[in-house]
Amino acid sequence: MGNKIQFIDRLRLRFAVSVAKSVTFIVQFLRLGAASVLPGAIARRIQPRLLELLSQQVKNGVILIAGTNGKTTTALLLCTILERKGYRIAHNSTGANLENGLMSALLESTNFLGTLDVDYAILEVDENIVPRVLTPLQPRIILCLNLFRDQLDRYGEVDTISKRWTKVISTLPAETVVIPNADDPTLSNLGQQLPQRVLFFGLNEPEHYLEAIPHAVDSIYCPRCGHSLDYKGVYLSHLGDFTCPQCGFSKSKPTLESSEWSQILVGLYNKYNTLAAATAAIDLGVDEATIRDAINNFQAAFGRAEDLVINGKRVRILLSKNPVGTNETIRVVTESTDKTTLLVLNDRTPDGTDVSWIWDVDTEKLVERGGTLVVSGDRVYDLALRLRYSEKSPQSKLNLIVEEDLRQAIATALEHTPENETLHILPTYSAMLEVREILTGRKIL
């Protein structure tokens, strides 16, 4: 009976793969999209155990990367490191991080007989579906980057997500390696509670402390006893060096000394992404020379600190999809001497339909420096209002330009950008895709 079930499973798997590859060909041939989700959705209907059956074939194991911010960049860096060592990787490079996207990524590297011939699968996973995919994936390594409030209409509080993660991860085999962010109190506590082997990553660079805890802070209370944490300093949001005066809970010790490592791209948040990928790579046996070389020559994923040259002018796209991430991209902008910024706010499903999070962003810092701010997007007037409320006096030096049409907004922002400066564009997720399409696929006005 068992052999018969296995035979039927294999047969359904082959059929599912054949159909998925046919769908991929049609979608791409007709230029209907990247085919990063639909093939998985259809194949899953034919073979419900698709994710499990494919992940079992990954030779050296699945590496799962979860968290609110930084998944795409961390995954790409780790993929780059392992490819430099000659490993073959399956990777959801388009950022499709729900179940159908994970299946489509694995299907892409599978032949028509249902055989997946790769050394590693590096999968970035939406934080809300982690409990559903851990059992079928049985990952070798789980990277837990951070937990922030993201899309308010979709997810609950960070402690709810953390409890769900802990419950499921604790059931995985003892040899599973979990790598949480030591600077995130919720994840530091998660790592300290698990029976598996746990490695931590984090910063030990007090010179990068913020002057004060920002508005966009989610978890400054002890995850064990609920008492307010004492922070020696914070790096971003609630990530920092902390202890609990009530129960003694404190930050876990990172495996790597952060000051000894350079970082990819701009922004302190990318130091976290660097350390997370480096910690995982070292545990996989990759030599430090290869890791450092990959870091020094890293190219940004699309929309994540991506640099372009448009009409002879430099443009940098900084994805800004939630309060913490936007505060960090604003920090990058304000630390530069560039005076023109384009902000684009959409409220579509990939962005989250509740845009009230913009009132948790420290836009005052962006407004105080003056210069030109161009705003656009589906919720352009909400964004413009937030910026006006950020002005401390009617004599503000801010030049605020409201432009509903995104193409015209980009053209206007470019016009206001001097030849020797960089135009920073801060879009939400769907807006980032639109911006890139206009910048890279079509002529600018």
Side-chain angles (χ1 to χ4, degrees):
M1 185 67 179
N3 290 335
K4 182 179 180 180
I5 292 175
Q6 289 178 6
F7 173 75
I8 294 174
D9 266 343
R10 287 196 299 269
L11 196 62
R12 294 177 72 175
L13 176 63
R14 290 182 180 183
F15 182 52
V17 170
S18 298
V19 172
K21 287 190 173 295
S22 299
V23 170
T24 299
F25 174 78
I26 293 170
V27 170
Q28 294 180 346
F29 180 76
L30 297 177
R31 297 184 179 181
L32 299 176
S36 60
V37 175
L38 185 60
I42 294 174
R44 182 184 182 188
R45 294 266 185 161
I46 300 170
Q47 174 50 279
R49 295 182 59 218
L50 184 73
L51 196 58
E52 176 186 354
L53 294 172
L54 291 181
S55 61
Q56 288 173 353
Q57 299 183 53
V58 180
K59 292 181 180 178
N60 297 330
V62 173
I63 301 167
L64 185 150
I65 301 176
T68 309
N69 292 341
K71 295 185 293 292
T72 299
T73 301
T74 304
L76 181 58
L77 175 56
L78 187 54
C79 187
T80 302
I81 293 169
L82 293 177
E83 286 180 337
R84 283 174 180 263
K85 297 300 292 183
Y87 293 114
R88 289 164 299 177
I89 311 295
H91 172 216
N92 52 337
S93 57
T94 63
N97 55 28
L98 299 177
E99 286 157 291
N100 292 335
L102 305 184
M103 294 176 194
S104 295
L106 295 176
L107 285 165
E108 187 177 350
S109 300
T110 304
N111 65 22
F112 277 93
L113 297 177
T115 302
L116 178 61
D117 186 20
V118 296
D119 298 299
Y120 292 98
I122 298 177
L123 302 175
E124 61 165 285
V125 179
D126 183 280
E127 58 267 35
N128 206 41
I129 72 161
V130 167
R132 295 207 301 268
V133 301
L134 280 178
T135 299
L137 286 177
Q138 291 290 299
R140 173 175 175 174
I141 291 179
I142 304 172
L143 273 168
C144 305
L145 301 183
N146 45 61
L147 281 176
F148 304 120
R149 283 179 299 136
D150 190 14
Q151 298 181 18
L152 300 181
D153 55 305
R154 292 178 60 202
Y155 301 147
E157 294 300 319
V158 295
D159 57 341
T160 302
I161 295 175
S162 173
K163 288 175 182 177
R164 293 173 60 213
W165 283 16
T166 305
K167 182 178 179 180
V168 181
I169 293 175
S170 62
T171 66
L172 296 176
E175 58 268 23
T176 306
V177 178
V178 184
I179 306 178
N181 188 335
D183 294 358
D184 187 320
T186 304
L187 294 181
S188 195
N189 179 59
L190 177 149
Q192 292 177 20
Q193 304 300 314
L194 293 173
Q196 287 85 5
R197 189 161 70 91
V198 179
L199 307 173
F200 291 93
F201 70 94
L203 300 181
N204 185 23
E205 302 177 49
E207 65 272 20
H208 293 306
Y209 284 160
L210 293 172
E211 294 179 2
I213 294 179
H215 292 130
V217 61
D218 299 314
S219 183
I220 57 174
Y221 296 98
C222 178
R224 293 190 182 176
C225 71
H227 196 278
S228 296
L229 293 171
D230 281 346
Y231 276 88
K232 184 177 179 182
V234 294
Y235 296 109
L236 65 94
S237 186
H238 58 267
L239 306 189
D241 297 324
F242 55 84
T243 57
C244 176
Q246 181 77 15
C247 69
F249 167 70
S250 63
K251 169 180 171 176
S252 306
K253 180 176 175 56
T255 302
L256 302 180
E257 177 56 55
S258 66
S259 61
E260 297 175 359
W261 291 81
S262 59
Q263 72 177 70
I264 54 172
L265 310 175
V266 296
L268 192 63
Y269 54 95
N270 277 314
K271 187 65 175 281
Y272 281 111
N273 298 336
T274 305
L275 293 168
T279 302
I282 289 173
D283 189 67
L284 292 170
V286 181
D287 59 281
E288 287 194 14
T290 297
I291 298 171
R292 293 182 188 277
D293 182 60
I295 292 169
N296 293 333
N297 294 283
F298 182 74
Q299 297 294 316
F302 65 90
R304 279 81 170 176
E306 181 182 18
D307 290 324
L308 304 170
V309 176
I310 306 296
N311 295 355
K313 296 183 180 181
R314 294 190 301 274
V315 176
R316 174 172 288 164
I317 305 174
L318 299 165
L319 178 65
S320 304
K321 63 187 182 74
N322 54 38
V324 173
T326 305
N327 277 344
E328 287 307 297
T329 56
I330 286 176
R331 194 198 307 196
V332 170
V333 173
T334 55
E335 288 177 352
S336 74
T337 58
D338 306 307
K339 295 297 184 182
T340 305
T341 306
L342 168 62
L343 299 98
V344 191
L345 178 65
N346 284 354
D347 61 350
R348 303 172 195 176
T349 300
D351 312 291
T353 56
D354 184 346
V355 298
S356 62
W357 61 267
I358 63 175
W359 294 91
D360 289 329
V361 176
D362 296 327
T363 49
E364 289 78 10
K365 295 179 180 179
L366 193 59
V367 169
E368 285 172 14
R369 72 197 299 263
T372 297
L373 294 183
V374 183
V375 294
S376 189
D378 300 340
R379 301 297 289 268
V380 59
Y381 294 105
D382 296 79
L383 186 55
L385 180 65
R386 174 69 185 103
L387 294 173
R388 282 302 185 197
Y389 267 96
S390 301
E391 294 180 280
K392 292 185 176 180
S393 70
Q395 288 74 42
S396 169
K397 298 179 181 179
L398 174 67
N399 176 27
L400 179 62
I401 300 174
V402 178
E403 177 54 63
E404 293 183 21
D405 182 80
L406 181 57
R407 179 183 290 276
Q408 184 59 53
I410 293 173
T412 300
L414 284 168
E415 289 172 6
H416 282 80
T417 304
E419 294 289 342
N420 61 339
E421 292 189 7
T422 297
L423 167 62
H424 290 90
I425 303 180
L426 279 58
T428 54
Y429 187 80
S430 70
M432 179 266 290
L433 299 179
E434 289 184 284
V435 166
R436 289 194 80 259
E437 182 179 5
I438 293 172
L439 291 178
T440 62
R442 303 173 184 173
K443 185 177 179 181
I444 304 300
L445 293 172

